[in-house]
Structures are given as C-alpha cells and as structure tokens.
Amino acid sequence: MNFSSKLLENAVTEFSRLPGVGQKTALRLVLHLLNQDKADVERFGAAITKLRNEIQHCSVCHNISDSQVCEICASHKRDKGLICVVEDTRDVMAIENTSQYNGVYHVLGGLISPMDGIGPADLSVDSLVERVKTGEVREVLFALSATMEGDTTIFYLHKRLKDQPITITTIARGISFGGELEYVDEITLGRSIATRVPYEGTLSR
Amino acid sequence: MNFSSKLLENAVTEFSRLPGVGQKTALRLVLHLLNQDKADVERFGAAITKLRNEIQHCSVCHNISDSQVCEICASHKRDKGLICVVEDTRDVMAIENTSQYNGVYHVLGGLISPMDGIGPADLSVDSLVERVKTGEVREVLFALSATMEGDTTIFYLHKRLKDQPITITTIARGISFGGELEYVDEITLGRSIATRVPYEGTLSR
C-alpha cells in the first residue's frame, strides 16, 4: 500500500501484526482512532502498555491476575479441595460465566502438542502435581478441549496424578443442550449413546 | 464477561470500542498482545499515541500528512492544474496504487449526507473553491463513490464550481474489467449501454 504518511504506515503495520487483522482492516481501525479525541487514544495506548507491564500470573493457579495471588485463589468462599484444570484464561472466564463452579483453577498455559513442539515442560504441570501433593486436594477435574491435544494432555496428567489419593474427573461429553439430533456428528452421538446415563425424572439444566 | 483482572478488563474494553471488534475478538487480541515481548507492546502503544498526537492534515489538500504540506502537494512532478476530489485518505491511497494519476488531490473529509447530519459546511468545500479561484487549476475530477451521498456531493460541488473557467469531470462508470455480463446489476449494465463509447481497435487497460 501507498501511505502518504510514515506515522500512519507505522500504526497500520503495528495493527496488522494482530491475529486476523489484515492491512485493510488495520487501516480502517487506525483511521477510526485518528477521528477520536486525543485523550481517548492516549487512554487506549496506555491501557495496553499498562496491561503488559503490570499484569502478573497468580503464583498458585497461574491465571492472569492483578496481584500475586488471584481473587479466586484468595477467596475464602472457594472450595480449595476441588481443582479444575484448564488450558488458559479464556476457559476460566467461560466457566466462571456459568456460575456452576465453586472450586479453584489450575491454568496449564497450553496443551501438549508435539506438532507445535509443546511438551509437558512448557506447561505448568509440576506445580499442579505439587498442589495435589499438599494433601488438601480431594478432586481434580479436567476441563480441556475435546481435541487430540486435549485428550493427550489429560492422558499425560492422569499418568502423573494416578498414584495420589484423589478423584480424577473430566467434564461430561455428549450432545449440547438445544442441539438437534440430526445435526450432531456421528462420533458425539455414538459416544453419547454408549455413555448413556440413568434418567431420574428431570434433566439437569 | 467475568474478568479475573481489572487491567485485562480495561484493555478489552478499550479494544472493543474499535469498529467491528466485539468483546470476544477484543479479548483474543489482548491475550495475543500479552504473549508478546514487552518492547513490542510498548512500540504498539507508542505508534498509536504518536500518530494521534503528531499527525497533521495537509494545508493544501487536507490529506493526512506528516508535515504541513503533504508529499504529493509538495512534489514538483505532480500536475497542479488537475485536482482529483475524493472523500478520504483511503481513496487517495487507492488511486495512488493504480499509478495512473499524476495530478493532485483534494480530500473532502466526508460526503454530504443529510441523513447523518453532514452538510457542506462540515466538509472542506470552501478551500476547494479557493484553490480553483487561484487560476492555476485546469480541471477538477470527481472520484467519489457511486452512491446517493456521492452523487449529491458532486451535484453540490458542480453548482459551486460551474462558473469557474475549468473542465469538470467524473471517473467513468460502467462494468468492471473482468466482470462477467450476466452478474452485472441492471442499472450499471443499462447505463453502460446508454453511455457506450467508440471502439478504437483496443480497450484501454
């Protein structure tokens, strides 16, 4: 592209480094910012720099946090005997949004993926084993994506944890609530028949 | 959404103010930035703030510029007798990318749109008339979108300029190069038949 201004070109180049943002989108975003008040743009730039410079990871669960120990780990209302193992912060947010979970988390920071060169050493696995070994933990719940990488990670973590006196669980798999049967893929449908559960007069919604 | 960190929430809120960026996309972009080096994020923030604080508009053509007069207006190689009137900077860039134009520009900063409350007073119309009145200008070429707003703006500007001793032109309308006839809309096709041009042994590509 033929920019009339070096400043503009720099800003567009920076924006187009973001995932899913091409040069045309970057230009549209930058021109939008140019039309905003100086104070607003200043705040935008500052929010990002501040985030990167001041953010911490919780020393217990490795979740993104403003303080050394995150709000969830610091809360007395949370059940410290139940640890939910997730891939990243987004999963913590998704589960928190359900309001169905009262335990604590452990953020792995990724999934085991030999294709991408990510092994157990790149993830916060050892600290999970340490947490379990303290003896305070009753149950570890795996809430990982139902993909090859997720399954591999569960398999590995199970191997590391199976000698500990805890219950190991995973979130239920099956058809989604509201899912129409004819559109469900064969594997999910087949498995949900094989792993059918007793009907007790009501479906837990 | 349920953020575990105020810093994260602030950054996501700022990002989701951008056009076409929802909360989920904003979160994805912010988490991407969190994984980058501090220096890179610093540069990202600085590029935007610097752009907003230091950018100028060319005092001649109102295009975005790093200096008081933009590179195009300052160039001795450009034909100052031909002014191309466009809506905004993106149009200047699009035309510059064709390498087919050697005149100068005049950036209106928008189009007349009573629906959005944009009248001639909100656009750089008076300065265009002033430029034409200097007597250096031979031709004014309108390169505006083929929409209601573009047509209204051309109509208004023509009224303001028609007493000046200049040629007033607009970019050609018709079917696109590479366009298949059966997919062209009726209005474009009908008009391109009505405004047919003599064939001179070759099509100007």
Side-chain angles (χ1 to χ4, degrees), chain B residues 116-165:
Chain B
D116 302 317
I118 303 173
D122 302 310
L123 311 176
S124 52
V125 172
D126 290 339
S127 60
L128 173 64
V129 178
E130 290 304 316
R131 282 176 81 181
V132 171
K133 278 187 179 164
T134 59
E136 279 178 37
V137 181
R138 193 176 69 247
E139 178 179 345
V140 169
L141 163 61
F142 293 122
L144 302 179
S145 297
T147 57
M148 178 80 94
E149 288 77 18
D151 290 349
T152 308
T153 309
I154 292 179
F155 183 78
Y156 175 81
L157 290 176
H158 178 256
K159 217 173 62 182
R160 290 283 301 266
L161 293 171
K162 70 174 192 293
D163 296 333
Q164 304 295 324

Side-chain angles (χ1 to χ4, degrees), chain A residues 1-2 4-6 14 17 19 30 32 34 36 42-43 49 51-52 55 64 66 90 93 97, chain B residues 1-2 4-6 14 17 19 27 30-32 34 36 42-43 49 51-52 64 66 93 97:
Chain A
M1 260 198 267
N2 210 320
S4 52
S5 146
K6 266 263 161 280
E14 289 297 333
R17 277 192 234 278
V30 169
H32 168 86
L34 262 186
Q36 305 305 303
E42 202 85 57
R43 216 182 46 225
T49 325
L51 170 76
R52 184 63 189 83
I55 203 86
I64 286 175
D66 290 354
R90 270 175 289 189
M93 287 168 58
N97 281 335
Chain B
M1 260 197 266
N2 211 320
S4 53
S5 145
K6 266 266 162 274
E14 289 297 332
R17 275 192 236 277
L27 179 61
V30 168
L31 289 179
H32 169 85
L34 262 187
Q36 305 305 304
E42 202 84 56
R43 217 181 48 224
T49 325
L51 171 77
R52 184 62 189 86
I64 285 174
D66 290 354
M93 288 169 59
N97 281 334

Side-chain angles (χ1 to χ4, degrees), chain A residues 28-125:
Chain A
R28 195 163 52 87
L29 297 179
V30 169
L31 290 179
H32 168 86
L33 284 174
L34 262 186
N35 284 329
Q36 305 305 303
D37 283 344
K38 278 191 188 183
D40 289 343
V41 177
E42 202 85 57
R43 216 182 46 225
F44 178 87
I48 293 152
T49 325
K50 199 171 148 76
L51 170 76
R52 184 63 189 83
N53 288 336
E54 297 184 12
I55 203 86
Q56 302 185 44
H57 288 88
C58 171
S59 59
V60 181
C61 72
H62 304 284
N63 192 14
I64 286 175
S65 166
D66 290 354
S67 45
Q68 212 227 324
V69 175
C70 77
E71 281 177 27
I72 295 173
C73 288
S75 167
H76 293 296
K77 292 182 184 159
R78 292 298 192 128
D79 179 1
K80 304 288 193 313
L82 172 58
I83 297 182
C84 177
V85 177
V86 294
E87 181 181 348
D88 66 17
T89 301
R90 270 175 289 189
D91 301 328
V92 174
M93 287 168 58
I95 294 172
E96 285 299 290
N97 281 335
T98 67
S99 311
Q100 296 285 315
Y101 182 70
N102 195 39
V104 291
Y105 294 93
H106 192 87
V107 178
L108 291 175
L111 294 176
I112 295 174
S113 171
M115 291 278 282
D116 303 318
I118 302 172
D122 302 310
L123 311 176
S124 52
V125 172

